[in-house]
Amino acid sequence: MFDWMAWTLPVAVFFICIVLMLVGMTVWEIKSPTVMRKGFLPLETTRGDRLFIGLLSAAYVNLIFVGISGKLAQWFRLDGDPSIWISFVLSMVVLALVMRKG
């Protein structure tokens, strides 16, 4: 059923993290309802809004990294493409930044 996608360990970890975040946010919302606040994003957001925006941003970071990894290998004269773990860490930093300061 999932043969259409290249299920590598980093991809599986990424999606498992997303599921765990959604479950955690659901429990957190039930225990402590959110309030609207304004951070660096140009609109007032709730925790759920920031999670959604952060997940979209994390997905774009991963897609951009995959798209330019061949060029990065050429620019830095690497033997192969850079590790996808780099984009995973970058995307989690972006997500944390949006959740905390957004």
Side-chain angles (χ1 to χ4, degrees):
M1 180 164 91
F2 294 111
D3 293 340
W4 59 272
M5 186 169 178
W7 285 100
T8 61
L9 181 62
V11 171
V13 169
F14 181 74
F15 282 107
I16 288 169
C17 286
I18 289 173
V19 169
L20 290 175
M21 280 186 277
L22 291 173
V23 169
M25 287 293 288
T26 301
V27 171
W28 190 8
E29 186 66 29
I30 291 170
K31 297 274 185 187
S32 170
T34 189
V35 294
M36 301 287 277
R37 75 173 171 102
K38 179 120 172 65
F40 69 82
L41 296 171
L43 61 145
E44 286 189 0
T45 58
T46 64
R47 282 190 300 255
D49 297 334
R50 289 187 301 276
L51 178 65
F52 179 73
I53 293 167
L55 287 173
L56 282 176
S57 301
Y60 285 126
V61 167
N62 277 300
L63 288 173
I64 290 167
F65 186 84
V66 168
I68 67 169
S69 63
K71 291 287 185 190
L72 290 173
Q74 287 177 351
W75 293 339
F76 296 112
R77 294 181 176 85
L78 302 173
D79 293 334
D81 288 345
S83 174
I84 196 73
W85 287 108
I86 296 168
S87 71
F88 175 76
V89 170
L90 288 173
S91 66
M92 290 300 107
V93 167
V94 168
L95 176 62
L97 179 69
V98 170
M99 288 297 293
R100 182 79 176 139
K101 301 288 184 179

